[in-house]
Amino acid sequence: MGTAIRKKCRQAVRVPRTGSGLPEYDRGATEGLATRRQLRALGLSPGGHDPVGVLRCKRCAYRPGQACTHPTRAWLYRLDLAVPKRVPTLAQEWALDRAMAARTTCPLCLRRYIYCLPLRMLGSCLECHDGTPADPGSYLAPPAPDVHRLAA
């Protein structure tokens, strides 16, 4: 008979809170500090400054003596050091629009859909690939063909 293989049980790693790292805050009042999402909602960005604290996850609020090592924790930034978000130039917006147009336009029927097409896998929209009818509300009509406008 062979020997039985025993699996090791996963044990929670207990990391004590130390003064050497960033200060940790539980959910609630953090005056003058905000997460990246809160900064973005205010139209601000961290401005290249490092985080000054860690917002502990909801689960770790029950363990006040332990450090939060979960991926749901958030970095906190100072509001007084935050700067306004950069506004993209017209050329950057135009380049982004062209990139999205390339991802959402079928190369066969030239319809521009409201979602990204699986061009790597199929090479076209579903209607061109296998005949599945597309919802008319999910695409824009293809542009009108260029008309010959020469006088002669």
Side-chain angles (χ1 to χ4, degrees), residues 28-116:
T30 52
E31 300 276 333
L33 301 177
T35 62
R36 288 183 79 87
R37 285 189 181 195
Q38 291 169 342
L39 288 174
R40 186 175 47 207
L42 295 172
L44 301 171
S45 68
H49 296 286
D50 292 332
V52 294
V54 176
L55 184 65
R56 293 163 47 99
C57 68
K58 189 176 181 180
R59 189 187 320 170
C60 289
Y62 298 108
R63 302 180 308 164
Q66 301 295 320
C68 179
T69 58
H70 295 104
T72 55
R73 67 180 185 262
W75 303 110
L76 293 172
Y77 299 91
R78 288 177 43 187
L79 283 173
D80 58 342
L81 297 178
V83 296
K85 284 196 305 187
R86 292 188 314 165
V87 178
T89 63
L90 291 177
Q92 289 172 334
E93 287 184 6
W94 188 55
L96 288 173
D97 186 52
R98 285 189 316 183
M100 283 307 295
R103 294 177 65 191
T104 59
T105 303
C106 176
L108 302 178
C109 64
L110 299 178
R111 292 180 184 162
R112 185 166 178 183
Y113 287 82
I114 59 172
Y115 54 87
C116 292

